[in-house]
Structure formats: structure tokens, C-alpha cells
């Protein structure tokens, strides 16, 4: 069950100085995120994990990567804060008696960017951020017990994927199901052909959408690594345009992302060609997610017409390219 601000009181007791702080829910998608304001003017963000989504080891692995990125790069990302016992990941008893997990982060000021604003410059920044992440993981020695999900054809397209089954998503019906089935089959083939060599597949953010970006003047911060996992590097562009794949602004944003990515890390022709497949893979993931998370405001916002929009993109993809050069 979703938690309210009143429900997270026991969680606040796990960190020094937070008992009695004011909390407000700011986001409910996979997890719930609360802003925490203390009486002495400090501000934090508390992430309460959805029960059963990520394991203890998986969350600890995410936090290990965040700490490595803070040590090894200059990327503006959240800083997790240790609780009273020195641990970053805390457990507390919710009002319904269940044991929940939570992580506290420092507060990062900023607002979520939106389309149709001119975001070319922002996507250039996101391209360089993605390349920096990918460059880091190619040399970082992960902990021996590191555990994060894999985002592949099986985990996104199969009926028992963690985000649900696209086949039963709202709007999937007789008129668009055949083209989506053809897309499904083609994605399996093209992703297998592309392969998972270490120069194109590894640990990525995997959810670099506009909702996980904060802009404060000239500062751009990247937040919410909760879905980070093993996937193709070019999937991070696909995630960046989540829910906006049909916007006419996307070709220019794609060009800006690619140009700035390659100032940090090169992409070859096969990598560039893979971007369309990643966009369609992500779109199918979102289609499934909307169906399995229909109770959330985010899913309800994009639900109308999303299946038909996915089918229209699929037709262009199957003809050769989503955005012809």
C-alpha cells in the first residue's frame, strides 16, 4: 500500500535529527519519495522502497555505485546519508506492520525540465553525463557481491517481466496488436544481432528521463539511480526521451545527445544504428509499466493514446528508421 507523510515517522527515527521533521510526498512511481524539512532549516529527500521490487543487496549495490561515482567523477548526483547505525540502507516498521526499506539523500535544488521547451543544450549535457557513467563502469571494479537487474529483451518483452506484460496494457487491442507483435519479434532479432560485448553493454542509469533530472540555473543534476542495471549503453538515450518519443523535438535532441556523448566516449556505426532499437525497447517497457502501475499519477498522465503511439513508432521502425536521416 502507498504510504502517506504520516506513515514515514518511524523511518525518520533511523537518522539523527529527523525525528518530528515535516514530510511531504513529492513523487510516487516505482518507489515513494518524500521531502523532509527539519525545524532547523535542513532539507533532505527520503526514498521509501516499494516492497518486493529491489532486494537488500540490489539497493546496497546501487548505493555502492553512487559512492564510487562521487569518488571518481564530478557528476552532480545525490549523496546518500548514513543512519544512526552508520548504514546507508535503513529498515523500519510501517503502520501496517510490514518491514520497509528506506534511503535518505541530501536535497538537490532544481526543477524538472519539460517539453516542448528548447532542451537541446540539456540533452547535450545528458549525453556527456551518460558517457561519463559508461566510461566509469568500463574500468570500475565492482564489489564481488554486486547485484543489479538486467534490462534485456527477456526482462522487458516477456509476459512475466518486472514491469508487467505489454500485451495487456491499456489500449492494446485488435487494431494495433499485430504491429506490436511484429515489433516484439524484430527487437529480439536486432538486439541479439547487436550483441552484448563490453564496449556496448554494461551498468547504466537506465532511467535518465526528464523526471529524474533537476535544473537549477546552469546546474543540471541527475537523480534516482533506483533502476540502474545492466543494459546497452545507448538505452540511456532511449530512457532520456521516455514518454516523449513521438515529439517532433526528438531528432534535434538525439543529435545533441550523440554529439556531446562522443566528446567523452566514441560511438561506432553499429552503436548509432542501435539507438532506434533502444527507443522501441524502452517504449515497450513503458507500455508494460503503464499497465502494471495504472494507479500512479504518472501512468494515468500518459495512458491515453500511448499504445497507439507505440504502434505508430513501430511502423516507422519496421520500415527502416524512426527518424530518417
Amino acid at each position: 500500500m502507498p504510504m502517506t507523510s504520516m506513515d514515514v515517522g518511524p523511518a525518520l527515527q533511523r537518522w539523527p535529527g529527523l525525528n518530528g521533521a515535516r514530510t511531504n510526498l513529492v513523487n510516487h512511481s516505482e518507489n515513494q519519495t518524500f521531502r523532509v524539512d527539519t525545524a532547523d532549516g535542513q532539507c533532505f529527500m527520503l526514498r521509501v522502497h516499494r516492497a518486493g521490487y529491489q532486494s537488500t543487496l540490489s539497493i546496497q549495490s546501487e548505493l555502492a555505485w553512487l559512492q564510487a561515482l562521487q569518488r571518481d567523477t564530478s557528476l552532480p548526483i545525490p549523496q546518500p546519508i548514513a543512519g544512526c547505525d552508520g548504514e546507508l540502507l535503513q529498515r523500519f516498521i510501517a503502520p501496517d506492520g510490514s518491514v520497509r526499506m528506506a534511503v535518505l539523500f541530501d536535497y538537490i535544488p532544481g526543477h524538472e525540465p519539460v517539453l516542448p521547451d528548447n532542451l537541446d543544450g540539456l540533452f547535450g549535457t545528458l549525453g556527456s553525463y551518460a558517457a561519463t557513467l559508461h566510461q566509469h563502469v568500463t574500468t570500475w571494479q565492482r564489489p564481488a557481491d554486486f547485484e543489479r537487474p538486467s534490462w534485456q529483451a527477456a526482462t522487458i518483452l516477456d509476459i512475466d517481466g518486472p514491469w508487467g506484460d505489454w500485451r495487456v496494457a491499456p489500449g492494446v487491442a485488435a487494431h494495433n496488436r499485430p504491429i506490436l507483435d511484429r515489433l516484439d519479434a524484430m527487437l529480439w532479432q536486432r538486439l541479439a544481432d547487436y550483441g552484448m560485448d563490453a564496449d556496448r553493454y554494461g551498468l547504466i542509469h537506465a532511467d535518465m528521463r526528464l523526471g529524474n533530472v533537476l535544473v537549477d540555473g546552469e546546474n543540471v543534476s541527475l537523480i534516482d539511480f533506483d533502476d540502474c542495471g545492466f543494459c546497452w549503453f545507448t538505452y540511456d538515450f532511449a530512457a532520456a526521451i521516455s514518454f516523449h518519443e513521438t515529439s517532433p523535438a526528438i531528432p534535434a535532441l538525439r543529435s545533441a545527445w550523440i554529439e556531446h556523448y562522443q566528446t567523452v566516449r566514441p560511438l561506432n556505426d553499429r552503436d548509432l544504428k542501435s539507438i532506434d532499437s533502444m527507443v522501441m525497447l524502452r517504449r515497450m517497457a513503458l507500455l508494460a509499466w503503464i499497465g502494471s502501475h495504472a494507479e500512479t499519477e504518472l501512468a494515468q498522465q500518459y495512458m491515453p493514446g500511448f499504445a497507439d503511439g507505440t504502434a505508430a513508432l513501430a511502423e516507422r521502425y519496421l520500415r527502416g528508421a524512426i527518424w530518417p536521416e
Side-chain angles (χ1 to χ4, degrees):
M1 289 288 293
M3 303 190 73
T4 68
S5 293
M6 295 180 61
D7 294 333
V8 298
L12 299 182
Q13 298 174 21
R14 306 301 300 170
W15 284 270
L18 295 191
N19 197 18
R22 186 175 72 255
T23 59
N24 289 288
L25 178 67
V26 296
N27 183 57
H28 177 202
S29 111
E30 205 58 63
N31 305 308
Q32 290 179 265
T33 304
F34 297 84
R35 174 170 168 157
V36 180
D37 290 279
T38 66
D40 61 357
Q42 296 185 82
C43 184
F44 305 93
M45 301 301 289
L46 178 72
R47 184 178 71 190
V48 178
H49 287 262
R50 177 166 70 88
Y53 184 57
Q54 299 284 9
S55 69
T56 297
L57 182 55
S58 182
I59 299 170
Q60 290 172 333
S61 297
E62 172 208 350
L63 298 175
W65 190 30
L66 274 175
Q67 291 180 302
L69 288 170
Q70 288 157 354
R71 182 190 66 233
D72 301 335
T73 76
S74 59
L75 287 172
I77 56 177
Q79 171 74 51
I81 299 170
C84 297
D85 61 358
E87 297 295 326
L88 297 177
L89 179 60
Q90 296 292 321
R91 293 171 181 78
F92 67 99
I93 306 297
D96 64 1
S98 64
V99 178
R100 302 294 293 272
M101 295 187 289
V103 179
L104 187 72
F105 296 94
D106 61 336
Y107 175 77
I108 299 176
H111 66 274
E112 176 185 337
V114 296
L115 284 172
D117 291 353
N118 182 356
L119 300 183
D120 293 23
L122 173 67
F123 267 73
T125 299
L126 294 181
S128 65
Y129 284 7
T132 301
L133 292 174
H134 305 161
Q135 191 70 20
H136 179 265
V137 300
T138 59
T139 58
W140 178 48
Q141 185 64 44
R142 298 192 300 270
D145 59 352
F146 191 88
E147 175 187 287
R148 289 302 300 175
S150 295
W151 301 110
Q152 303 175 5
T155 50
I156 291 176
L157 300 176
D158 277 358
I159 61 173
D160 58 351
W163 280 8
D165 180 7
W166 66 262
R167 297 159 188 82
V168 296
V172 176
H175 71 284
N176 56 27
R177 175 64 187 272
I179 190 70
L180 295 176
D181 280 329
R182 287 177 56 206
L183 170 64
D184 185 293
M186 183 60 73
L187 285 172
W188 275 95
Q189 177 183 326
R190 289 186 178 173
L191 294 173
D193 290 345
Y194 185 44
M196 295 189 294
D197 292 348
D199 65 342
R200 66 195 61 173
Y201 185 95
L203 185 61
I204 69 169
H205 184 282
D207 197 21
M208 207 179 287
R209 59 187 178 87
L210 296 182
N212 289 330
V213 175
L214 292 174
V215 177
D216 182 32
E218 297 299 314
N219 299 317
V220 178
S221 299
L222 178 63
I223 64 173
D224 197 358
F225 281 66
D226 178 59
D227 282 317
C228 71
F230 297 96
C231 189
W232 293 274
F233 292 141
T234 48
Y235 187 87
D236 266 341
F237 169 76
I241 62 169
S242 292
F243 302 109
H244 301 291
E245 296 88 352
T246 60
S247 169
I250 298 304
L253 302 183
R254 178 182 183 272
S255 296
W257 191 94
I258 291 171
E259 177 184 353
H260 287 261
Y261 185 104
Q262 295 199 101
T263 63
V264 178
R265 187 174 183 276
L267 295 169
N268 61 34
D269 288 343
R270 293 191 70 196
D271 299 326
L272 296 173
K273 188 174 178 59
S274 76
I275 290 177
D276 277 11
S277 294
M278 301 306 156
V279 169
M280 295 313 307
L281 184 66
R282 175 68 171 185
R283 184 79 182 196
M284 294 293 271
L286 295 175
L287 181 60
W289 186 89
I290 284 174
S292 61
H293 293 69
E295 76 284 358
T296 66
E297 182 179 342
L298 183 62
Q300 293 166 10
Q301 176 183 353
Y302 292 106
M303 189 181 298
F306 197 83
D308 284 338
T310 306
L313 289 168
E315 288 179 347
R316 286 151 52 182
Y317 172 77
L318 293 170
R319 287 199 303 264
I322 303 175
W323 304 287
E325 298 295 337

